[in-house]
Amino acid sequence: MDINNLLTILLIINIILAGVLVFIEKRDVVATWAWLMILLFIPIVGFLLYLFLGRQLKQKNFYHLSTKERTYLQLAVTDQANKIHNDQSFLQDELLSKHSQIIMMNLKSANALLTIDNEIHTFRDGHEKFNSLFKDIQLAQKEINIQYYIIQRDSLGKKLRDELSKKAAEGVKVRVLYDDIGSKRITPSFFKELIKHGGEVRAFFPSFLRLINFRLNNRNHRKLCIIDGRIAYIGGFNIGNEYLGIDEKFGYWRDTHFRIMGESVNQIQGRFILDWQQATNQPIHNIEEFSFNNEKNIGSTPIQIVASGPNSETEHLKNMYVKLIMSAKKCVYIQTPYFIPDTSIMDACKIAILSGIDVRIMIPSKPDHPFVYWASLSYAGELLSYGAKILLYENGFLHAKTIVVDHEVASVGTTNIDTRSFKLNFEINAITYSEEKASELQNLFLLDSKHSSELTIEKYQKRSVIIKLKEAISRLLSPIL
């Protein structure tokens, strides 16, 4: 085959792919035009980029649920939705009634059942979080399910592995699920002692021969641990020494994580089971293999567990953020390491600010990904002109992913405010309707503010030409960051 025939074939492939993008796949206009330009102007490279980064994952039954399982879940959602509509006593709490629209949206959009009987402990420091986690692991009696985006081969990763191996040797069922790209240095051999004692280890969307991964762009970014079906951890901390604040590059690591007991643990367990089933490629024939919470009267904190991923037609977590911002009457406090919002988030923030809402956004003062950092500054700078208060955290690295609205509603989880979290990654958040927990998280925000500098519009306007150029280029690339 000569070069002309090869180029002709490549051109035909690109035209077909362009047709697929425009007429078959339901992409937003910006993404469609971006891929069209890539495919038409850089045929060979564009085709390879599309294979690794462009293919959509949306499937009607990505998790291979049976008809019975889907029906059971839908009945639970429908039953709770009917109670919210028709049973005045179901949302008898004034705060729940006030935020019934957010509750209903999360329920109908993301199948996020509202649970009332919960107790939450909040961690802001890695040492406290991991001391608590290891203590709970050591006390486990039946089952430990671990899911992290990143597990490092360092002292913290080895300590987790060794603690899990001990519990497996005692007869506790241990399952470990890690993301193959996020935990790129981890192999099953790292867990050989755990596996020897009956533990199970899986990688989410594993690479072919550890070199090729056609799902490079769709990562499982969730960080969960469920112990005996009674205790669940959810938040921003991964497994690695940097999360203990002992990495010289980042210094102190500021993050937020929940330890939950109560009804919502079952919702988190259910989410783990779905990801585990996908990773093992085996249906769960006996749900009794997993532990579920049956305890009552543990606490009184209402929670919804909202999950989203590239398999879904709807961006559940982005919609939750937009609804929260638009529902604010007094204030919105956001912490995020990456602030690369799309038009809907930006418009919600602008409308809130123009309506007199106190909108404060805290981002790191130092980058872990330079392009992301400069893009974040660009979007934050745009909101300055509307009256937002932008804070740059300086006491190490800010990795917390929280939003607090009106001292009443708060969300903690794995979701960054960027396209990757909203569209491409598998994410999960816990949203709580509690003045006590919202006030606690707001106080943490105010405490972090003491370790932050304010980016004023005067300072922003004085930035150098080089910085303006970095922001412009990074913002142009922001849809793929």
Side-chain angles (χ1 to χ4, degrees), residues 72-205:
Y72 178 81
L73 178 60
Q74 192 55 51
L75 285 173
V77 170
T78 301
D79 179 61
Q80 188 163 100
N82 289 336
K83 287 181 179 178
I84 293 173
H85 273 306
N86 305 318
D87 188 350
Q88 297 296 321
S89 64
F90 184 71
L91 297 182
Q92 58 184 331
D93 182 276
E94 183 179 348
L95 190 61
L96 292 178
S97 180
K98 181 178 179 180
H99 296 285
S100 61
Q101 288 187 352
I102 299 174
I103 294 170
M104 181 64 81
M105 185 197 72
N106 290 333
L107 175 64
K108 297 181 74 172
S109 172
N111 296 328
L113 296 171
L114 175 70
T115 60
I116 308 296
D117 188 12
N118 300 288
E119 177 183 281
I120 300 175
H121 182 83
T122 306
F123 298 102
R124 67 182 302 273
D125 174 81
H127 289 278
E128 293 179 357
K129 184 259 180 174
F130 289 110
N131 286 340
S132 176
L133 176 64
F134 288 133
K135 181 179 178 180
D136 285 334
I137 286 174
Q138 290 162 4
L139 295 174
Q141 299 295 313
K142 296 182 292 184
E143 178 185 90
I144 302 169
N145 293 325
I146 293 276
Q147 177 177 0
Y148 280 96
Y149 174 61
I150 294 174
I151 299 178
Q152 300 282 28
R153 295 180 70 101
D154 54 22
S155 59
L156 187 65
K158 290 175 182 176
K159 179 174 174 58
L160 174 69
R161 175 199 63 188
D162 294 344
E163 292 291 347
L164 294 176
S165 298
K166 290 178 185 176
K167 297 309 295 186
E170 295 173 10
V172 174
K173 182 62 180 177
V174 178
R175 303 178 185 90
V176 177
L177 179 59
Y178 62 88
D179 185 82
D180 190 66
I181 299 300
S183 304
K184 54 183 176 293
R185 296 183 61 209
I186 294 296
T187 61
S189 63
F190 179 74
F191 293 101
K192 62 181 179 181
E193 283 297 311
L194 171 61
I195 295 170
K196 184 178 76 173
H197 293 297
E200 295 184 71
V201 179
R202 294 289 188 279
F204 196 89
F205 283 167

Side-chain angles (χ1 to χ4, degrees), residues 352-458:
I353 296 165
L354 293 172
S355 301
I357 307 302
D358 176 15
V359 176
R360 305 185 190 188
I361 300 169
M362 187 181 296
I363 59 177
S365 66
K366 63 172 69 174
D368 65 337
H369 302 293
F371 280 112
V372 174
Y373 175 74
W374 295 115
S376 295
L377 277 183
S378 172
Y379 286 103
E382 182 179 341
L383 290 180
L384 279 174
S385 62
Y386 285 80
K389 187 172 184 178
I390 305 298
L391 298 163
L392 305 178
Y393 184 77
E394 297 182 330
N395 187 35
F397 185 72
L398 178 73
H399 194 248
K401 308 150 197 308
T402 67
I403 179 170
V404 186
V405 174
D406 291 347
H407 326 283
E408 296 176 347
V409 183
S411 172
V412 168
T414 68
T415 309
N416 300 309
I417 297 183
D418 62 9
T419 299
R420 183 159 299 282
S421 276
F422 291 146
K423 286 188 175 183
L424 301 176
N425 287 345
F426 294 86
E427 307 280 5
I428 189 166
N429 278 42
I431 178 171
T432 176
Y433 307 88
S434 162
E435 290 181 343
E436 178 185 355
K437 297 311 297 184
S439 295
E440 178 187 6
L441 289 165
Q442 182 159 314
N443 288 336
L444 288 178
F445 184 101
L446 296 174
L447 180 63
D448 292 332
S449 298
K450 296 179 181 180
H451 301 286
S452 305
S453 61
E454 183 174 354
L455 179 64
T456 63
I457 195 165
E458 292 78 18

Side-chain angles (χ1 to χ4, degrees), residues 229-405:
R230 297 180 56 252
I231 301 167
Y233 286 78
I234 179 173
F237 284 105
N238 284 295
I239 304 294
N241 286 345
E242 64 264 40
Y243 302 96
L244 294 173
I246 57 179
D247 185 284
E248 292 184 2
K249 178 182 177 181
F250 296 110
Y252 181 72
W253 191 277
R254 172 66 182 90
D255 220 324
T256 305
H257 220 88
F258 276 166
R259 177 186 186 270
I260 301 174
M261 296 182 68
E263 292 179 87
S264 65
V265 174
N266 290 339
Q267 306 302 313
I268 299 172
Q269 179 80 299
R271 181 53 55 183
F272 174 86
I273 291 172
L274 290 177
D275 284 346
W276 182 258
Q277 180 170 279
Q278 174 63 32
T280 59
N281 199 29
Q282 297 174 352
I284 305 299
H285 296 294
N286 185 8
I287 199 67
E288 294 180 358
E289 295 175 9
F290 293 83
S291 300
F292 288 90
N293 173 65
N294 294 312
E295 296 177 291
K296 303 296 181 182
N297 303 317
I298 292 176
S300 57
T301 303
I303 296 176
Q304 282 181 298
I305 303 299
V306 183
S308 193
N311 61 302
S312 172
E313 292 287 346
T314 303
E315 297 168 45
H316 305 304
L317 284 159
K318 186 189 79 173
N319 290 346
M320 184 189 78
Y321 269 83
V322 170
K323 185 67 174 176
L324 282 170
I325 295 167
M326 294 297 289
S327 71
K329 299 294 187 293
K330 300 175 184 177
C331 58
V332 177
Y333 289 4
I334 295 172
Q335 288 182 309
T336 179
Y338 316 126
F339 186 68
I340 310 178
D342 68 358
T343 302
S344 62
I345 295 285
M346 284 293 282
D347 286 347
C349 288
K350 291 174 182 177
I351 291 169
I353 296 165
L354 293 172
S355 301
I357 307 302
D358 176 15
V359 176
R360 305 185 190 188
I361 300 169
M362 187 181 296
I363 59 177
S365 66
K366 63 172 69 174
D368 65 337
H369 302 293
F371 280 112
V372 174
Y373 175 74
W374 295 115
S376 295
L377 277 183
S378 172
Y379 286 103
E382 182 179 341
L383 290 180
L384 279 174
S385 62
Y386 285 80
K389 187 172 184 178
I390 305 298
L391 298 163
L392 305 178
Y393 184 77
E394 297 182 330
N395 187 35
F397 185 72
L398 178 73
H399 194 248
K401 308 150 197 308
T402 67
I403 179 170
V404 186
V405 174

